[in-house]
Amino acid sequence: MQIPAVPKDVDWREFFIEQLIRLMGVSAIAFVLLIFLFLVREGVPALLEVPLSNLLGQRWYPTFEIYGLVPLILGSLLVTVGAIAISLPLGLATAIFIGEIAPEWVREILKPAIEIIAGIPSVVIGFIGIQIVSPLVREFSGAPTGLTALTGVLLLSYMALPTIISIAEDALDAVPDSYRHAAYALSATKWQTIWRVVLPAARPGIITAVMLGVGRAIGETMTVMMVAGNAARMPLGFDAFLRPVRTMTATIAAEMGEVARGSTHYHVLFVVGLALFVLTFVINLAAALTIFREKRGGGGRFLA
Amino acid sequence: MPPTAKIVLEDVSFYYGQEPALQHVSLEIADKEILAIIGPGMSAKSTLLRILNRLSDLATEGRLEGRVLLDGKDIHDPDVSVTQLRTRVGVVFAVPVPLPLSIWDNVAYGPQLRRGVSKSELDSLVEKSLRAAAVWDEVEDRLHEPAMALSGGQQQRVCLARVLALEPEVILLDEPCSGLDPISTMKVEEALLTLKKDHCIVIVPHNVQQASRIGDRVAFLMGGELVEHGSAEQVFTKPRDSRTDDYITGRFG
């Protein structure tokens, strides 16, 4: 039998498609770079005009040219860490329930239900926060106002949940059944199998889930702006959660519309954006490195 | 009749949903012997193995009929603990499945699930098990490296060691050498011949030659039906059923 020669135009098509895919891949990276360069371009004038000691100060008071970023950064970190501290255990437990324990029909209901939660607009969640969560927080804590860091934390943790659940569930789902059977065959109970075998095997995916959850929480603007009180104070001390707090995102959203374009304040807001960008980048990098190191440690050797 | 029956299957059938897999199998499995279950594909050999330590419970919509007795006790009795049963009846799969842990942790995994085993006891248990599985010499310097980094043949012997660490009475092996080179296969077979002195071993070999090399008794399954069983010598030299003869002489399968 004679194999027909590959027609010439197929070669050409291969080349075209390959280049198209390459172009798309490269442009995705290029856009991220361009965003970063834009932030730098708009932020650099502020770094030249405002002394570093001012930027690293503990007070944010732009009207008097006091641009301390520290309370904003700490504010963002506080609500993000708080939100993840709640949504990680809750989300992981839900993912384990859906992926490992629930019967098929319950799973079929829960999975889409969780995706619906993910689709609720953040302004609606903020509205619920103002109307319901904030009065509850005020009542139970005895704080002078219900618009506190805690209120933001509660709502953000709710918003990060669907992300964490669905990514973690995918990670559990990707663990081969042969691992589970091997563990059962070694006389492990269901819980021992989940805790000692399935979870460790799914760890890279779970770390990714947490990182995307962190990204969701740290980048969220509307909800925190509505419910967290927005006072740019240093969130230190034990009562920090019960006081108002202001995040970087809320600051940019609230003030960008009111500054004169090209003013110092305008440029400083870009520095805030830059700080946010760097912070998320560092967090993601740390996660990627953790996963990378574990993969290498896990031994990538092929079966002989 | 085998001298001492460790496991007795009484008219055992197994269904996946509506589909019958194993049909009316009655079989006695002797202690301190190797039983080789041979037969063409889809004849429910793996199903039969999995029933013996109730991994068949995990099959969705699986259904079992008949009784399986271990030392005269029905393993499906409500008062039998599945986890306890699985420490007594260990299984090695066709594809080695090292858990994503170190070699040491893989072997110590089973014993660690029981409470009150000290670190030094575990250490000696791990060494003993790896030696019995004929892999100690190759891994003793790298016990804390990931088991996944081993070669396929080493992984399979570590998996065997992992089962031995549970100190089981019965060892089930489902084509344990299917992915292994001849030398690794030989090492596994040697280990099994030593282990048979104080274990009941049931193996689904990956070919008829292996059954003849290590099997004391042979059971021939076809289409979920037990066609015949007897001593290896009898089945291989004077098969009673013409289908057995056709299969072992390589006319099909």
Side-chain angles (χ1 to χ4, degrees), chain A residues 65-126:
Chain A
E65 306 213 321
I66 298 170
Y67 300 112
L69 299 181
V70 180
L72 308 182
I73 295 173
L74 289 182
S76 276
L77 285 178
L78 181 78
V79 292
T80 304
V81 170
I84 294 302
I86 295 175
S87 60
L88 173 60
L90 221 55
L92 200 53
T94 312
I96 290 173
F97 176 72
I98 294 177
E100 303 287 319
I101 296 166
E104 191 65 35
W105 64 272
V106 175
R107 177 182 323 191
E108 296 301 317
I109 297 172
L110 281 180
K111 283 194 84 168
I114 281 157
E115 266 137 41
I116 289 172
I117 297 178
I120 301 176
S122 54
V123 67
V124 172
I125 292 183

Side-chain angles (χ1 to χ4, degrees), chain A residues 178-190 192-197 200-201 296-304, chain B residues 50 53 55 58 83 86-87 89 91 93 97-101 109-110 112-113 146 148-152 155 162-163 166 179:
Chain A
S178 57
Y179 283 12
R180 295 186 184 87
H181 288 193
Y184 285 131
L186 292 173
S187 81
T189 61
K190 182 152 203 156
Q192 288 167 331
T193 304
I194 292 171
W195 186 247
R196 308 262 321 260
V197 174
R296 270 203 350 205
R301 204 178 145 173
F302 290 107
L303 294 184
Chain B
R50 283 168 176 258
N53 76 345
L55 275 182
L58 303 177
T83 52
R86 288 179 186 152
T87 64
V89 184
V91 61
F93 300 104
V97 188
L99 297 172
L101 306 166
Y109 183 85
Q112 272 179 332
L113 296 174
M148 303 262 191
L150 295 171
S151 78
Q155 286 187 11
R162 187 172 70 182
V163 170
L166 288 168

Side-chain angles (χ1 to χ4, degrees), chain A residues 54 56-62 64 66-71 232 234:
Chain A
N54 188 349
L56 294 179
Q58 302 195 354
R59 288 182 64 213
W60 174 263
Y61 218 145
F64 295 98
I66 298 170
Y67 300 112
L69 299 181
V70 180
M234 291 290 285

Side-chain angles (χ1 to χ4, degrees), chain A residues 121-144:
Chain A
S122 54
V123 67
V124 172
I125 292 183
F127 184 64
I128 294 171
I130 291 177
Q131 291 298 317
I132 298 168
V133 182
S134 146
L136 282 177
V137 168
R138 190 180 59 219
E139 213 164 291
F140 280 101
S141 69

Side-chain angles (χ1 to χ4, degrees), chain B residues 43-232:
Chain B
S43 51
K45 297 170 298 206
S46 301
T47 304
L48 176 53
L49 270 196
R50 283 168 176 258
I51 286 170
L52 298 182
N53 76 345
R54 289 184 58 180
L55 275 182
S56 54
D57 292 5
L58 303 177
T60 42
E61 296 182 37
R63 187 162 55 84
L64 182 102
E65 285 170 8
R67 297 208 304 164
V68 181
L69 308 177
L70 176 64
D71 286 335
K73 171 88 180 153
D74 190 336
I75 62 170
H76 289 90
D77 263 2
D79 63 328
V80 169
S81 134
V82 182
T83 52
Q84 171 112 52
L85 171 73
R86 288 179 186 152
T87 64
R88 296 178 62 195
V89 184
V91 61
V92 178
F93 300 104
V95 180
V97 188
L99 297 172
L101 306 166
S102 73
I103 297 169
W104 192 93
D105 283 323
N106 258 281
V107 180
Y109 183 85
Q112 272 179 332
L113 296 174
R114 288 177 259 162
R115 280 170 211 287
V117 190
S118 75
K119 174 84 166 62
S120 61
E121 280 175 295
L122 279 176
D123 272 330
S124 68
L125 190 58
V126 167
E127 175 173 347
K128 200 178 95 188
S129 308
L130 287 168
R131 279 191 194 283
V135 69
W136 171 256
D137 297 337
E138 293 160 55
V139 300
E140 63 174 316
D141 303 328
R142 43 201 291 211
L143 290 176
H144 295 283
E145 287 174 28
M148 303 262 191
L150 295 171
S151 78
Q154 291 168 331
Q155 286 187 11
Q156 190 59 297
R157 279 173 286 149
V158 167
C159 288
L160 176 59
R162 187 172 70 182
V163 170
L164 297 180
L166 288 168
E167 299 175 322
E169 300 155 38
V170 181
I171 303 169
L172 312 173
L173 303 110
D174 190 354
E175 302 194 15
C177 303
S178 58
L180 303 193
D181 59 281
I183 292 173
S184 299
T185 302
M186 197 181 73
K187 285 183 179 163
V188 171
E189 288 179 6
E190 277 167 8
L192 292 179
L193 289 173
T194 313
L195 287 168
K196 136 183 136 164
K197 288 180 195 131
D198 41 24
H199 292 86
C200 167
I201 297 176
V202 184
I203 182 170
V204 174
H206 67 292
N207 58 27
V208 175
Q209 287 75 16
Q210 187 173 41
S212 68
R213 280 197 302 268
I214 61 171
D216 295 302
R217 287 180 175 273
V218 173
F220 176 57
L221 277 181
M222 205 176 132
E225 196 188 325
L226 181 63
V227 175
E228 76 170 278
H229 72 113
S231 73

